[in-house]
Amino acid sequence: MSSNELRKKFLEFFKKREHAIVPSSSLMPDDPSVLLTTAGMQQFKKYYTGEADALQDFKSKNTASVQKCFRTSDIDEVGDDTHLTFFEMLGNFSFGGYFKEESIRFAHDFLVNNLNLKIDYVSVFKGTKGVPADTESEKIWKKVDPSIEVRKFGREDNFWGPTGSEGPCGPTTEIYINGTEIWNIVFNQYYSHPDGKLDPLKTPGVDTGMGLERLSMVTRNVKNIFETDLFRPLLNALPEEISERNRRIIADHLRGIAFLLADGFRPSNKEAGYVLRRLIRRVLVYGERYNIPPHVFEALLHDVVHEYGKFYKELMSTSDVIHTEFALEREKFSRTLARGLKELSKESKIDSEKAFRLYETFGLPYEIIKEFAGERGRILTRDGFDEEFRKHQERSRAGLEKKFGGHGLLLDTGELKAKDEAELKKVTRLHTATHLLQAALRKVLGEEVKQMGSDITAERTRFDFSFPRKLTPDEIEKIEQLVNEAISKQLKISMEEMKFEDAQKSGALHFFKQKYPPRVKVYTMGSKEEEFSKEICGGPHVLNTDEVGKFVILKEEAVAGGVRRIRAAVL
Ligand code: SER
C-alpha cells in the first residue's frame, strides 16, 4: 500500500466513524509563542479547553487529520534510522465526544483489522506522585484483546502535556509494532496550571498521533523509514558516491525545505527562518562536497513537490516560490562559501586551529575543509577540530578569564557570579551544594526532576526544576537532610574530561536546554561505589563536600507550569 493510500485509508476510517476530516494546518502556527507546528493537536487546543466549540465549527465533536509537523529537536540526529525534521502525523481527536474505550477500539480496529498488522505490545501510564495510574486503559486493552501485553511506564513515557506552560494534558497509551512506537493516544483529562497544579478538565478529550513514516514502514515490513516510498525514490535520485547517511540528510532536509517554503517561511537569521536557512545550507554544503550540480537538487525539489503535492496542494501552487527561494539562498551562500574556500586555498598548511577559524568566520564545516584541504590538511583531525571548538566554548562562556572586565566581576559563567575572592569561595561552595540539591531532589521526588535553570550569587543558590506540584514540608525537610548527610560524609569530588556522548552514557546529569561541546567535564561527588551526584558541568567546585558547610532551604515556589524553584543558602 502506498503512503498516499495510507493517508486516505486513515481519513476514510475515521470519516465512517463520524469524524469531521480537517485539513492539515500550516507549519506556521497561529500561536506566536511556538516556532513551528509540531503535533496534530496544536490546531485543536481551543476545543479541549472549551474556548471554542467543535460542534459549531466542525459539526462534530470528533475530528481526524493528516498533519504536517516539524520538530527541530532532532535536527542533529537526522541520518540514522529513525530521526526526521519534517514528518506527517495521522491523528484522530475528540473534544468530549468519546474517550478511552472508543479510542482504543478504533486504534486496534484500524491497525489489526484494516491493515492486518500485529501489535507487539502496548503501554499505559503507571502513575506518579499526585497523578493516578491509568488502570482504565489497561482494563480496556485486556477486554479488546486479552493476548496483548500491557507494559506500564511513568511520566516520561506515558504522559503528554505542556512543560513550562499551561494547557491540557494527561496519560497516554502507546502501541508498538515491530519494536517501534506507532501510535500515541493521549487522554487529555487534566489542565496543567502555571504553578504545575493539575485540575480535572471539564470535558476530557482525546488526542492521537501516528507517524505516517513509521506506519508506512511497518505496513511494508521494511527495515527503516528510509526504505518506504516516502523516501526511497528521493534517495535513489542522488549520486551513488554519497553515503546512505548523507543521502538521508539531504532527502529529509529537502522535504522540510519544500514544506517550510510552501507555508510561507523564508530563510533568515532568526527563529524558524534560521531553521530553514540551516536546512538549505547543509544541503548546499553536501552539494559542494560531492560536486552535485544544482539541477540535481532542483530535480529532487520537483519530485517532492509533485509526489507530496498530490495530497498537499499548497506545494503545487507554490512550486515556483519553492524553486526561486532555494536558488536565491544558494546564491547568497555560495558567496560566503566561495570566500571561505578562497581563504582555505591560501593556506599552505591547515591545522585544527586554522580549520576552526575558517569554520567560525565562513561557516565552512569540518568535512568541507578536510575535503578541500587535501594533502595540506593531513594533520587536521576531527578530534583536534572538536578540541578547538571546546576551547572556543570555554573562552566565550565568559568564565574565569573575565577578571574585572565587563561587569566588574571576577567570575561570571552565566550560572555563577562573584566579584572578589571571598565571593568566589562562597559561590563555589554554593555550586557544589546545588549539585547535591539536584541529586537529593531526584532521590526524594523521583527521576522526573530535571534541571530547568540555576543562578548562584554569594548570597544564595536558586535552582529551577521540573516537577508538577508544590513540595510538602516533609519532602523539603528530607531533601535538606539528604544534602547535609552528603556533606557530613565528606565525599570526595572528582573531575574527569570526556566526550559528551561518553558523559551521557555514564549517566551524568546535564541541562537539556544547553548545547554542549564535543568534550565536557564531569563532576562526581562520592566514590565510584557510592556516587551521590554526577553532572556535566564547567565547575568550579570545592574538593570535598565538607567544605560546603551547613545547607538550608530558604524557599520553595512555582515559577511556571510544571516548574518549581528552590532558594537555598550555605552557612
Ligand atoms: N500530541 C501527541 C503527540 O504529539 C499525540 O498526538 O505525540
Side-chain angles (χ1 to χ4, degrees):
M1 196 182 306
S2 72
S3 295
N4 210 23
E5 281 164 328
L6 276 179
R7 291 186 190 105
K8 285 196 190 124
K9 216 172 159 116
F10 179 85
L11 294 178
E12 271 159 23
F13 178 91
F14 283 101
K15 194 174 175 184
K16 271 197 205 128
R17 287 157 185 80
E18 276 137 41
H19 287 65
I21 305 307
V22 179
S24 170
S25 65
S26 165
L27 284 170
M28 199 182 281
D30 271 345
D31 177 354
S33 69
V34 248
L35 215 54
L36 290 153
T37 299
T38 58
M41 64 85 71
Q42 235 161 283
Q43 67 165 322
F44 299 121
K45 259 188 200 159
K46 50 184 192 271
Y47 302 103
Y48 292 111
T49 55
E51 286 159 75
D53 181 2
L55 215 46
Q56 197 177 329
D57 291 355
F58 307 116
K59 302 196 176 49
S60 172
K61 285 185 177 171
N62 318 317
T63 62
S65 69
V66 176
Q67 174 68 47
K68 303 178 273 190
C69 299
F70 194 106
R71 292 188 183 171
T72 51
S73 50
D74 295 335
I75 242 174
D76 293 322
E77 254 76 48
V78 176
D80 67 5
D81 281 352
T82 51
H83 291 93
L84 293 172
T85 55
F86 171 83
F87 65 100
E88 295 169 73
M89 204 188 263
L90 312 174
N92 57 294
F93 310 89
S94 188
F95 323 102
Y98 56 86
F99 204 41
K100 297 187 181 177
E101 171 114 24
E102 292 88 331
S103 312
I104 291 176
R105 285 192 186 279
F106 287 154
H108 179 268
D109 192 19
F110 183 69
L111 295 175
V112 176
N113 302 329
N114 273 53
L115 299 184
N116 288 317
L117 293 167
K118 190 181 163 329
I119 295 175
D120 290 347
Y121 65 91
V122 299
S123 64
V124 299
F125 180 55
K126 73 172 177 194
T128 45
K129 285 197 176 98
V131 198
D134 184 9
T135 49
E136 259 177 287
S137 291
E138 187 188 359
K139 279 192 205 123
I140 297 166
W141 275 114
K142 289 281 172 228
K143 217 164 46 178
V144 169
D145 182 351
S147 71
I148 290 182
E149 181 196 352
V150 181
R151 299 191 187 174
K152 293 173 198 170
F153 297 112
R155 204 168 168 133
E156 293 257 291
D157 300 292
N158 279 82
F159 200 90
W160 207 87
T163 23
S165 65
E166 58 183 322
C169 61
T172 72
T173 179
E174 296 179 351
I175 304 174
Y176 287 76
I177 297 179
N178 295 354
T180 306
E181 182 205 323
I182 288 297
W183 206 335
N184 183 18
I185 300 170
V186 185
F187 300 119
N188 281 321
Q189 59 187 105
Y190 305 106
Y191 190 90
S192 166
H193 290 283
D195 64 356
K197 200 170 138 255
L198 299 184
D199 265 342
L201 268 184
K202 252 202 257 105
T203 342
V206 175
D207 153 28
T208 89
M210 171 160 58
L212 174 68
E213 294 79 2
R214 291 185 187 183
L215 182 67
S216 179
M217 169 181 118
V218 299
T219 52
R220 294 173 159 249
N221 204 15
V222 288
K223 283 201 304 288
N224 61 60
I225 51 179
F226 295 98
E227 296 305 324
T228 64
D229 60 336
L230 292 164
F231 280 104
R232 199 22 79 190
L234 298 176
L235 300 184
N236 287 348
L238 282 162
E240 265 172 28
E241 62 269 25
I242 306 180
S243 68
E244 168 74 12
R245 187 188 162 78
N246 291 344
R247 279 196 269 171
R248 289 175 179 183
I249 296 172
I250 296 172
D252 167 85
H253 286 16
L254 282 174
R255 285 200 328 164
I257 291 163
F259 276 96
L260 287 172
L261 287 171
D263 277 349
F265 292 97
R266 295 294 172 262
S268 77
N269 282 334
K270 60 179 218 277
E271 295 167 356
Y274 182 65
V275 175
L276 173 57
R277 170 160 281 170
R278 242 178 98 184
L279 296 186
I280 300 182
R281 294 193 166 191
R282 191 140 173 229
V283 167
L284 294 173
V285 160
Y286 285 116
E288 201 66 38
R289 176 171 166 197
Y290 293 107
N291 258 321
I292 307 174
H295 70 79
V296 174
F297 293 142
E298 298 291 332
L300 271 171
L301 276 178
H302 178 272
D303 291 349
V304 172
V305 167
H306 285 264
E307 205 33 59
Y308 289 82
K310 290 176 194 157
F311 189 80
Y312 299 101
K313 302 288 180 240
E314 65 276 22
L315 287 172
M316 296 292 227
S317 57
T318 57
S319 170
D320 284 352
V321 178
I322 294 173
H323 285 278
T324 315
E325 287 293 333
F326 185 79
L328 276 174
E329 185 64 15
R330 189 177 62 227
E331 278 305 302
K332 273 192 204 140
F333 187 48
S334 68
R335 283 196 289 274
T336 327
L337 202 58
R339 284 216 322 268
L341 292 175
K342 193 164 155 209
E343 248 356 270
L344 197 155
S345 69
K346 285 191 210 148
E347 307 284 350
S348 55
K349 207 173 90 210
I350 293 155
D351 56 12
S352 304
E353 211 184 311
K354 247 176 218 158
F356 185 74
R357 257 205 345 260
L358 289 167
Y359 164 77
E360 226 193 330
T361 321
F362 302 103
L364 289 186
Y366 168 80
E367 292 83 7
I368 287 276
I369 301 172
K370 182 78 186 162
E371 185 91 13
F372 281 82
E375 193 48 29
R376 291 170 300 144
R378 212 157 34 91
I379 50 166
L380 173 60
T381 62
R382 176 98 235 180
D383 278 353
F385 183 84
D386 287 350
E387 176 65 19
E388 286 303 317
F389 188 88
R390 191 187 61 81
K391 280 196 221 152
H392 166 77
Q393 289 250 322
E394 218 156 69
R395 282 194 300 271
S396 59
R397 216 176 274 157
L400 293 149
E401 53 171 351
K402 213 172 190 174
K403 278 191 182 166
F404 310 109
H407 325 290
L409 290 172
L410 174 60
L411 174 74
D412 181 5
T413 67
E415 184 185 18
L416 310 175
K417 287 166 199 71
K419 70 174 186 304
D420 53 39
E421 286 297 331
E423 286 197 352
L424 179 60
K425 281 212 175 100
K426 190 83 185 285
V427 296
T428 306
R429 287 165 56 207
L430 276 161
H431 190 198
T432 302
T434 309
H435 280 219
L436 297 174
L437 170 63
Q438 173 160 221
L441 281 167
R442 289 165 61 92
K443 288 184 210 299
V444 175
L445 304 175
E447 309 241 308
E448 72 203 35
V449 166
K450 295 254 171 346
Q451 176 170 0
M452 302 296 282
S454 65
D455 180 86
I456 301 170
T457 66
E459 282 78 45
R460 50 98 187 118
T461 173
R462 199 185 69 195
F463 186 75
D464 294 351
F465 60 96
S466 56
F467 194 68
R469 59 163 175 82
K470 192 162 178 55
L471 273 53
T472 65
D474 270 350
E475 285 167 336
I476 294 178
E477 203 188 306
K478 208 150 159 219
I479 291 158
E480 204 178 57
Q481 206 182 331
L482 263 178
V483 173
N484 282 313
E485 273 170 23
I487 292 169
S488 62
K489 277 191 192 150
Q490 310 192 334
L491 304 178
K492 269 246 274 295
I493 295 163
S494 54
M495 188 275 278
E496 210 186 322
E497 283 202 4
M498 58 180 91
K499 280 203 195 131
F500 176 57
E501 291 91 278
D502 293 342
Q504 272 181 309
K505 273 186 217 135
S506 79
L509 298 180
H510 55 284
F511 189 8
F512 72 93
K513 274 199 201 154
Q514 185 170 319
K515 185 118 183 83
Y516 286 92
R519 286 188 73 79
V520 293
K521 292 178 181 169
V522 172
Y523 279 87
T524 307
M525 307 192 175
S527 62
K528 282 245 166 352
E529 295 72 48
E530 208 206 340
E531 272 173 10
F532 187 81
S533 140
K534 188 177 202 168
E535 281 190 51
I536 299 182
C537 174
H541 284 280
V542 297
L543 297 170
N544 190 299
T545 55
D546 71 356
E547 291 175 57
V548 170
K550 191 176 159 46
F551 174 78
V552 282
I553 292 179
L554 305 171
K555 196 171 179 191
E556 189 270 340
E557 63 190 319
V559 269
V563 184
R564 312 291 308 175
R565 171 171 286 178
I566 280 183
R567 286 170 203 271
V570 291
L571 310 174

Short mmCIF file of all heavy atoms in Angstrom, two decimals, residues 422-457:
data_model
loop_
_atom_site.label_atom_id
_atom_site.label_comp_id
_atom_site.label_asym_id
_atom_site.label_seq_id
_atom_site.Cartn_x
_atom_site.Cartn_y
_atom_site.Cartn_z
N ALA A 422 36.51 36.46 48.02
CA ALA A 422 35.63 35.96 49.08
C ALA A 422 34.33 35.42 48.48
O ALA A 422 33.85 34.34 48.85
CB ALA A 422 35.34 37.07 50.08
N GLU A 423 33.80 36.19 47.54
CA GLU A 423 32.56 35.74 46.89
C GLU A 423 32.80 34.48 46.06
O GLU A 423 31.95 33.59 46.00
CB GLU A 423 31.98 36.85 46.01
CG GLU A 423 31.33 37.97 46.81
CD GLU A 423 30.40 38.83 45.94
OE1 GLU A 423 30.38 38.64 44.71
OE2 GLU A 423 29.71 39.68 46.52
N LEU A 424 33.96 34.43 45.43
CA LEU A 424 34.28 33.27 44.61
C LEU A 424 34.25 31.99 45.47
O LEU A 424 33.70 30.96 45.08
CB LEU A 424 35.66 33.45 43.98
CG LEU A 424 36.16 32.31 43.10
CD1 LEU A 424 35.22 32.05 41.94
CD2 LEU A 424 37.55 32.61 42.56
N LYS A 425 34.82 32.10 46.67
CA LYS A 425 34.81 30.95 47.59
C LYS A 425 33.39 30.54 47.93
O LYS A 425 33.03 29.37 47.93
CB LYS A 425 35.55 31.31 48.89
CG LYS A 425 37.04 31.24 48.76
CD LYS A 425 37.67 30.81 50.09
CE LYS A 425 39.16 30.61 49.93
NZ LYS A 425 39.95 31.76 50.41
N LYS A 426 32.59 31.56 48.21
CA LYS A 426 31.20 31.30 48.62
C LYS A 426 30.40 30.66 47.49
O LYS A 426 29.69 29.66 47.70
CB LYS A 426 30.57 32.63 49.06
CG LYS A 426 29.22 32.52 49.74
CD LYS A 426 29.35 32.20 51.21
CE LYS A 426 27.98 31.98 51.86
NZ LYS A 426 27.24 33.22 52.10
N VAL A 427 30.50 31.22 46.28
CA VAL A 427 29.68 30.67 45.18
C VAL A 427 30.16 29.26 44.80
O VAL A 427 29.37 28.44 44.35
CB VAL A 427 29.60 31.57 43.91
CG1 VAL A 427 28.91 32.88 44.21
CG2 VAL A 427 30.97 31.79 43.28
N THR A 428 31.45 29.01 45.01
CA THR A 428 31.95 27.66 44.71
C THR A 428 31.31 26.65 45.66
O THR A 428 30.88 25.57 45.25
CB THR A 428 33.49 27.63 44.82
OG1 THR A 428 34.00 28.67 43.98
CG2 THR A 428 34.04 26.30 44.37
N ARG A 429 31.22 27.01 46.95
CA ARG A 429 30.54 26.13 47.91
C ARG A 429 29.07 25.96 47.54
O ARG A 429 28.53 24.85 47.55
CB ARG A 429 30.63 26.73 49.33
CG ARG A 429 32.02 26.64 49.95
CD ARG A 429 32.13 27.55 51.17
NE ARG A 429 31.11 27.26 52.17
CZ ARG A 429 30.64 28.15 53.05
NH1 ARG A 429 31.10 29.40 53.03
NH2 ARG A 429 29.72 27.82 53.91
N LEU A 430 28.43 27.07 47.17
CA LEU A 430 27.01 27.00 46.79
C LEU A 430 26.81 26.17 45.51
O LEU A 430 25.79 25.51 45.34
CB LEU A 430 26.45 28.41 46.58
CG LEU A 430 25.99 29.10 47.85
CD1 LEU A 430 25.88 30.60 47.65
CD2 LEU A 430 24.62 28.55 48.29
N HIS A 431 27.80 26.22 44.66
CA HIS A 431 27.70 25.47 43.40
C HIS A 431 27.70 23.96 43.70
O HIS A 431 26.88 23.20 43.19
CB HIS A 431 28.86 25.86 42.50
CG HIS A 431 28.73 25.34 41.09
ND1 HIS A 431 29.78 25.25 40.24
CD2 HIS A 431 27.66 24.87 40.41
CE1 HIS A 431 29.38 24.76 39.07
NE2 HIS A 431 28.07 24.52 39.16
N THR A 432 28.62 23.56 44.55
CA THR A 432 28.66 22.15 44.95
C THR A 432 27.35 21.77 45.65
O THR A 432 26.78 20.71 45.38
CB THR A 432 29.88 21.89 45.87
OG1 THR A 432 31.05 22.28 45.16
CG2 THR A 432 29.97 20.43 46.27
N ALA A 433 26.88 22.67 46.50
CA ALA A 433 25.62 22.41 47.20
C ALA A 433 24.48 22.24 46.19
O ALA A 433 23.57 21.42 46.40
CB ALA A 433 25.30 23.56 48.15
N THR A 434 24.54 22.97 45.09
CA THR A 434 23.47 22.89 44.09
C THR A 434 23.45 21.50 43.44
O THR A 434 22.38 20.93 43.20
CB THR A 434 23.66 23.98 43.01
OG1 THR A 434 23.83 25.23 43.69
CG2 THR A 434 22.47 24.07 42.09
N HIS A 435 24.64 20.95 43.19
CA HIS A 435 24.69 19.58 42.65
C HIS A 435 24.10 18.60 43.65
O HIS A 435 23.34 17.69 43.29
CB HIS A 435 26.13 19.17 42.34
CG HIS A 435 26.64 19.72 41.04
ND1 HIS A 435 27.45 19.00 40.20
CD2 HIS A 435 26.45 20.92 40.45
CE1 HIS A 435 27.75 19.75 39.13
NE2 HIS A 435 27.16 20.91 39.28
N LEU A 436 24.45 18.77 44.92
CA LEU A 436 23.92 17.87 45.95
C LEU A 436 22.41 18.02 46.04
O LEU A 436 21.68 17.03 46.18
CB LEU A 436 24.55 18.17 47.32
CG LEU A 436 26.07 17.98 47.42
CD1 LEU A 436 26.58 18.46 48.77
CD2 LEU A 436 26.45 16.51 47.20
N LEU A 437 21.94 19.26 45.88
CA LEU A 437 20.50 19.51 45.94
C LEU A 437 19.78 18.78 44.80
O LEU A 437 18.77 18.12 45.01
CB LEU A 437 20.23 21.02 45.85
CG LEU A 437 18.76 21.44 45.65
CD1 LEU A 437 17.90 21.01 46.82
CD2 LEU A 437 18.63 22.96 45.45
N GLN A 438 20.33 18.89 43.59
CA GLN A 438 19.66 18.22 42.46
C GLN A 438 19.59 16.70 42.70
O GLN A 438 18.56 16.07 42.47
CB GLN A 438 20.36 18.51 41.13
CG GLN A 438 19.74 17.68 40.02
CD GLN A 438 19.98 18.16 38.60
OE1 GLN A 438 19.05 18.11 37.80
NE2 GLN A 438 21.17 18.59 38.26
N ALA A 439 20.70 16.14 43.19
CA ALA A 439 20.73 14.70 43.45
C ALA A 439 19.68 14.34 44.51
O ALA A 439 18.94 13.37 44.37
CB ALA A 439 22.12 14.28 43.90
N ALA A 440 19.60 15.16 45.56
CA ALA A 440 18.65 14.88 46.65
C ALA A 440 17.21 15.00 46.15
O ALA A 440 16.35 14.19 46.50
CB ALA A 440 18.90 15.84 47.81
N LEU A 441 16.95 16.00 45.32
CA LEU A 441 15.60 16.18 44.77
C LEU A 441 15.17 14.93 44.01
O LEU A 441 14.05 14.46 44.13
CB LEU A 441 15.57 17.37 43.81
CG LEU A 441 15.50 18.76 44.44
CD1 LEU A 441 15.81 19.83 43.38
CD2 LEU A 441 14.14 19.01 45.03
N ARG A 442 16.12 14.40 43.23
CA ARG A 442 15.78 13.22 42.42
C ARG A 442 15.60 11.98 43.29
O ARG A 442 14.80 11.11 42.98
CB ARG A 442 16.84 12.99 41.34
CG ARG A 442 16.77 14.07 40.25
CD ARG A 442 17.99 14.08 39.37
NE ARG A 442 18.17 12.82 38.67
CZ ARG A 442 17.68 12.56 37.46
NH1 ARG A 442 16.96 13.46 36.83
NH2 ARG A 442 17.91 11.41 36.88
N LYS A 443 16.36 11.94 44.39
CA LYS A 443 16.21 10.79 45.29
C LYS A 443 14.85 10.84 46.00
O LYS A 443 14.21 9.82 46.22
CB LYS A 443 17.35 10.73 46.30
CG LYS A 443 18.68 10.31 45.66
CD LYS A 443 19.78 10.16 46.70
CE LYS A 443 21.17 10.46 46.15
NZ LYS A 443 21.67 9.63 45.06
N VAL A 444 14.41 12.03 46.35
CA VAL A 444 13.17 12.15 47.12
C VAL A 444 11.93 12.21 46.20
O VAL A 444 10.93 11.55 46.47
CB VAL A 444 13.21 13.39 48.05
CG1 VAL A 444 11.87 13.59 48.75
CG2 VAL A 444 14.33 13.24 49.07
N LEU A 445 12.04 12.96 45.11
CA LEU A 445 10.84 13.18 44.28
C LEU A 445 10.78 12.29 43.04
O LEU A 445 9.74 12.18 42.40
CB LEU A 445 10.78 14.64 43.82
CG LEU A 445 10.83 15.69 44.92
CD1 LEU A 445 10.88 17.08 44.31
CD2 LEU A 445 9.61 15.57 45.84
N GLY A 446 11.88 11.68 42.70
CA GLY A 446 11.88 10.81 41.53
C GLY A 446 12.71 11.39 40.40
O GLY A 446 13.02 12.57 40.38
N GLU A 447 13.04 10.51 39.46
CA GLU A 447 13.96 10.87 38.37
C GLU A 447 13.35 11.82 37.36
O GLU A 447 14.03 12.30 36.47
CB GLU A 447 14.42 9.61 37.63
CG GLU A 447 14.93 8.55 38.56
CD GLU A 447 16.37 8.20 38.27
OE1 GLU A 447 16.68 7.93 37.11
OE2 GLU A 447 17.17 8.25 39.22
N GLU A 448 12.06 12.09 37.48
CA GLU A 448 11.46 13.01 36.53
C GLU A 448 11.93 14.44 36.78
O GLU A 448 11.75 15.32 35.95
CB GLU A 448 9.94 12.92 36.58
CG GLU A 448 9.36 13.52 37.82
CD GLU A 448 7.97 12.96 38.13
OE1 GLU A 448 7.74 11.78 37.87
OE2 GLU A 448 7.15 13.73 38.64
N VAL A 449 12.52 14.67 37.93
CA VAL A 449 13.05 16.00 38.23
C VAL A 449 14.20 16.30 37.28
O VAL A 449 15.16 15.54 37.17
CB VAL A 449 13.56 16.07 39.70
CG1 VAL A 449 14.41 17.30 39.92
CG2 VAL A 449 12.39 16.04 40.65
N LYS A 450 14.06 17.41 36.54
CA LYS A 450 15.11 17.80 35.60
C LYS A 450 15.46 19.27 35.85
O LYS A 450 14.57 20.08 36.11
CB LYS A 450 14.60 17.69 34.16
CG LYS A 450 14.28 16.29 33.71
CD LYS A 450 15.35 15.78 32.76
CE LYS A 450 15.27 14.31 32.42
NZ LYS A 450 14.45 13.43 33.17
N GLN A 451 16.73 19.57 35.73
CA GLN A 451 17.14 20.95 35.93
C GLN A 451 16.57 21.84 34.83
O GLN A 451 16.66 21.54 33.66
CB GLN A 451 18.67 21.04 35.89
CG GLN A 451 19.15 22.48 36.00
CD GLN A 451 20.65 22.59 36.21
OE1 GLN A 451 21.34 21.58 36.28
NE2 GLN A 451 21.14 23.80 36.32
N MET A 452 15.97 22.97 35.24
CA MET A 452 15.43 23.90 34.26
C MET A 452 16.23 25.21 34.26
O MET A 452 16.03 26.04 33.38
CB MET A 452 13.95 24.21 34.55
CG MET A 452 13.04 23.00 34.58
SD MET A 452 12.92 22.18 32.99
CE MET A 452 11.78 23.29 32.17
N GLY A 453 17.05 25.39 35.27
CA GLY A 453 17.85 26.61 35.31
C GLY A 453 18.49 26.75 36.67
O GLY A 453 18.05 26.10 37.62
N SER A 454 19.56 27.55 36.76
CA SER A 454 20.09 27.85 38.09
C SER A 454 20.89 29.14 38.02
O SER A 454 21.36 29.55 36.97
CB SER A 454 20.95 26.70 38.61
OG SER A 454 22.09 26.55 37.82
N ASP A 455 21.00 29.76 39.17
CA ASP A 455 21.63 31.05 39.25
C ASP A 455 22.22 31.14 40.65
O ASP A 455 21.52 30.94 41.63
CB ASP A 455 20.56 32.13 39.03
CG ASP A 455 21.15 33.51 39.09
OD1 ASP A 455 21.63 34.00 38.06
OD2 ASP A 455 21.13 34.10 40.19
N ILE A 456 23.52 31.41 40.72
CA ILE A 456 24.18 31.38 42.03
C ILE A 456 24.91 32.69 42.30
O ILE A 456 25.76 33.10 41.50
CB ILE A 456 25.16 30.19 42.10
CG1 ILE A 456 24.39 28.88 41.85
CG2 ILE A 456 25.86 30.15 43.45
CD1 ILE A 456 25.28 27.67 41.67
N THR A 457 24.55 33.34 43.39
CA THR A 457 25.27 34.53 43.82
C THR A 457 25.87 34.24 45.20
O THR A 457 25.63 33.17 45.75
CB THR A 457 24.32 35.74 43.96
OG1 THR A 457 23.42 35.46 45.04
CG2 THR A 457 23.53 35.98 42.69
#
